[in-house]
Amino acid sequence: GAAPLVVGATLSRDGYSAQLKGEPDLGRMLALVRSLGGRAPQLAAKGPSTVDVAIAGQWSGFAAPESSGTMQVRNVDVSVRGINAPVHFSNAQIVLSPDEVKITGISASFAGSRTRWQGTTSYPRPCTAGELCPIHVDLHADELSCDDLNRLFNPNVSRKWYQFGAEATSAFSGLAVEGRITATQMAIKSVMARDVTAKVSLESGKLRLSDFRADVFGGSMAGDWQANFASDPPTYSGTGHLDRAVMTQIAQVIEPAHATGTLSATYKVSLTGWSQSDLLASAAGTLEFTWAGGTLRNAALDSSGSALQIYVLTAQGEWRKGRLELTAGRMETPDGIYQITGTAGRQLNLKLRSNNARAYLFSGTLDQPRIVGVSASETQASLKP
């Protein structure tokens, strides 16, 4: 390191003690502590540290030594098994006690990622052999990206072509975590969620995000999500509620549709796979939603060309193979009330039927819909230019 590590030791008939002070390279100091019989994590670390640590133990029964003291690290790189990029700690303070390791003032990031993490972690010590001791976390990220998280934690991302058939290792296996994670904003592909909070629980590759809350699409979302990374491929499931989301913001993500109003929904979904295509293909679940005070400006149910006005549209259905199959739907418009059946996805295949036998087929997309009257007594519906 930048300055020598000074080690002083005292030996007696009953036991021993040692004091480590200085500014050693973190990786080399951890190796020294392990060589002295101390409990130091098996990490590949490189970078400066400032330490003031005491190690003490008794000869009787060859009891494991206990360590206490403080460590300060700055600009240290740590490689963790199962994570596809090293962690860069700009700063962290570590307090060692016989019962706990507490890390405060964390400012860290992953190589190749713009996300900066801040907060505290702690874990109990020592752990009984074979026991998963939970790491308690209270971490905040300024900007999270699901693509970044996949790149970092998906074990298949870092595998080379010549490693075909080799077992991929997940960072989540053999790890227990509990606590809270927050983020100023989180990108899920083209969807941006803000003020994200969640309670996190991880054990043996099974992750749960409970009391998940975020502002999304101009509304609010709350729910619970689970992921099982111990299975291959991993599985995901979630339940939750979306309240008063703005349709113009939702439409911009799906496609440039001219839709207005607010949307509230309750969902239950399950997915399987590592890739986005696998996840979309495996999606299954249920959805109930209400679209209120809205318009679809490029569609009409008559020849006037006026926008389709929706007082309220309520529907429920099941997700299957990337499509929503409506099992019940009801739409109130200025012209009357319509029952809705069919499927909705990237392509629409819906049938609208009113109590007075007026019926329409709704196909195409939300951006370029095609509405055709199927009753001979009615005029074919037109599309607004």
Side-chain angles (χ1 to χ4, degrees), residues 278-296:
D278 289 342
L279 294 174
L280 292 176
S282 66
T286 59
L287 177 70
E288 298 181 12
F289 67 90
T290 299
W291 181 3
T295 59
L296 195 55

Side-chain angles (χ1 to χ4, degrees), residues 151-163:
R151 179 181 62 84
L152 290 169
F153 295 104
N154 184 341
N156 295 313
V157 169
S158 62
R159 298 175 77 185
K160 309 300 182 183
W161 65 269
Y162 51 79
Q163 293 176 309

Side-chain angles (χ1 to χ4, degrees), residues 131-151:
E131 179 185 3
L132 279 179
C133 291
I135 301 171
H136 182 80
V137 300
D138 189 352
L139 297 173
H140 175 79
D142 49 5
E143 181 180 351
L144 277 179
S145 165
C146 285
D147 286 344
D148 265 0
L149 295 176
N150 179 66
R151 179 181 62 84

Side-chain angles (χ1 to χ4, degrees), residues 18 125 166 208 224 238 297 301 321 331 334-335 337 341 356 382:
R125 58 196 298 246
R208 180 179 182 186
D224 292 317
R297 290 196 289 259
L301 296 182
K321 298 180 180 180
M331 180 175 68
D335 297 328
I337 298 175
T341 57
N356 59 10
S382 64

